[in-house]
Amino acid sequence: MSKSSYRVIQWATGRLGKIAIRHFTENPAFTLVGAYVSNPEKAGKDAGEIAGIAPTGVLTTNDVDAILALDADCVFYSPARSDVEVICRLLRSGKNVVTSTSFFYPTDDFRAQYDQIEAACREGGTSFHGGGIHPGYAGDLLPLTLTRIMNRLDKVEVHEIVNFLDEDTEALEHLPLMGFAIDPKEFESRPNLLSGAYKIFAQSQAMIAEGLGRKIDNVTTRVEVATATKDIALPGALIPKGTVAAQRHEWTAWSEGKPLVVFYACYTIGNEDMEPDWRFGKTRYRVIMAGDPPTELVLQGAELPGEHLPHPGYTWTAMGGVTAIPAVCEAPPGVVSHLNVGLVRPLGLVR
């Protein structure tokens, strides 16, 4: 039976963590009892101050043992990079864990980590769940939901289109890490944030396949880039002429010799002044179900008259995990994916 309020800890206070803190504070279904920060300079501050809201009475800490000692139902774990040892310590301490990072569905690439997580869940009597926007929603839960209205399914395509001109300026900080504004040959020769990302996204592809009673045999990858035809000036950044201004990654999951789930990761600096002239359009997710009947769903931020709103991707990412917390807390011990968590009924959204 659901509780009237779940005691939660926020692990990491970056963009997702701040969104989660604000939600935990505003939503009567949750009580914020702790907040972990990796930066010692943030330790001791009120979580509300970091999140840009009124004081919460919860002081942040960078002491892992202090977090482990807290009485809490769940930890929303949202650092930039996951540490499976930390996750397991949290689970063994009797705290359920919901994460927006790295772990969404057991695949062979992460078998060792999932074995550790499962063992920690059994020891702590706790559950673990990964959820976000992509992976964790647009590339797995949405397609699986659409299968309910299909007569026959031949292939699933998920297009993640990120136009950095639709994002707020803070998102531009990631451009160098993603390989933008460099020579195409240099792009091909050195790793970037998306080089090995297909293994993370392949978890969603495996979830779709197994939800359909199939198995993924292998995943193939392909990448193309477009270059700027002139200098493209951005707030605090410059994409020089001839350097990478857009990129399209194609990750194809094969089953029984046929492409079953194809993900396209399309990232661009606007829609003009580049070659090839891809014109990806605005930031959005397109889920295309090939089969009978051919079906397409588009997920994008709503436009309000007279307002230019940044894409709500960070809020979607945080809420994709946060709204599952009650269901995960009530689930049997172990790894809980979209396939076995059931229909999530978010608490406290109407307030």
Side-chain angles (χ1 to χ4, degrees):
M1 180 177 294
S2 297
K3 298 182 178 183
S4 60
S5 182
Y6 290 85
R7 296 171 59 83
V8 293
I9 295 169
Q10 175 55 43
W11 187 288
T13 57
R15 297 193 72 176
L16 298 185
K18 292 173 184 176
I19 292 168
I21 288 171
R22 292 194 288 268
H23 184 78
F24 293 144
T25 303
E26 297 168 359
N27 188 338
F30 299 106
T31 301
L32 183 69
V33 298
Y36 176 82
V37 292
S38 57
N39 184 350
E41 295 182 3
K42 289 185 177 181
K45 293 185 177 181
D46 189 284
E49 177 185 352
I50 292 176
I53 57 176
T56 63
V58 174
L59 300 183
T60 62
T61 180
N62 63 338
D63 184 342
V64 176
D65 290 331
I67 292 292
L68 293 171
L70 290 174
D71 176 20
D73 297 300
C74 190
V75 178
F76 182 52
Y77 184 80
S78 61
R81 291 180 175 81
S82 291
D83 184 331
V84 70
E85 297 297 336
V86 168
I87 291 172
C88 289
R89 290 184 68 186
L90 292 167
L91 292 166
R92 287 194 296 266
S93 74
K95 300 171 183 61
N96 301 289
V97 174
V98 171
T99 186
S100 59
T101 308
S102 300
F103 303 116
F104 300 92
Y105 193 76
T107 58
D108 289 341
D109 287 317
F110 300 98
R111 184 64 57 190
Q113 292 94 327
Y114 275 105
D115 286 346
Q116 289 179 263
I117 290 171
E118 279 282 3
C121 287
R122 302 301 170 189
E123 186 175 339
T126 50
S127 298
F128 173 87
H129 175 73
I133 183 59
H134 190 48
Y137 188 81
D140 39 53
L141 187 55
L142 278 188
L144 284 168
T145 302
L146 289 175
T147 61
R148 289 284 304 276
I149 57 174
M150 300 293 294
N151 174 51
R152 186 193 75 251
L153 181 65
D154 299 328
K155 184 175 69 172
V156 177
E157 291 184 6
V158 179
H159 298 249
E160 180 183 44
I161 299 164
V162 178
N163 186 335
F164 281 93
L165 298 190
D166 293 336
E167 309 288 319
D168 55 35
T169 56
E170 194 172 343
L172 300 178
E173 298 174 0
H174 301 298
L175 294 183
L177 297 176
M178 296 179 67
F180 283 96
I182 63 174
D183 183 87
K185 291 184 179 179
E186 185 180 355
F187 179 91
E188 294 174 2
S189 65
R190 77 180 198 190
N192 58 64
L193 274 182
L194 291 175
S195 298
Y198 75 92
K199 294 181 180 180
I200 301 291
F201 288 87
Q203 296 174 93
S204 292
Q205 294 175 316
M207 194 186 309
I208 293 174
E210 295 188 29
L212 295 168
R214 303 291 288 272
K215 293 286 186 182
I216 297 300
D217 301 322
N218 66 301
V219 178
T220 57
T221 67
R222 190 165 71 97
V223 61
E224 301 173 279
V225 299
T227 56
T229 57
K230 69 175 187 179
D231 289 353
I232 301 175
L234 302 169
L238 176 69
I239 309 297
K241 179 181 178 180
T243 65
V244 174
Q247 47 190 283
R248 177 167 59 193
H249 300 257
E250 179 182 319
W251 305 319
T252 302
W254 298 76
S255 179
E256 299 184 7
K258 298 179 180 179
L260 180 61
V261 186
V262 185
F263 284 176
Y264 296 92
C266 307
Y267 295 83
T268 184
I269 310 297
N271 288 297
E272 301 176 348
D273 304 319
M274 63 184 68
E275 178 63 37
D277 187 13
W278 283 331
R279 295 187 182 268
F280 288 132
K282 67 181 295 183
T283 297
R284 67 198 187 280
Y285 294 92
R286 293 179 62 209
V287 180
I288 302 171
M289 312 291 279
D292 177 25
T295 302
E296 178 176 345
L297 183 147
V298 176
L299 174 65
Q300 63 188 29
E303 295 183 1
L304 299 180
E307 290 191 54
H308 174 73
L309 299 175
H311 177 65
Y314 286 99
T315 299
W316 285 349
T317 302
M319 292 301 105
V322 165
T323 52
I325 287 175
V328 174
C329 289
E330 305 304 326
V335 174
V336 179
S337 75
H338 289 315
L339 297 185
N340 46 36
V341 74
L343 178 64
V344 170
R345 294 176 289 179
L347 301 179
L349 296 191
V350 181
R351 57 182 187 270

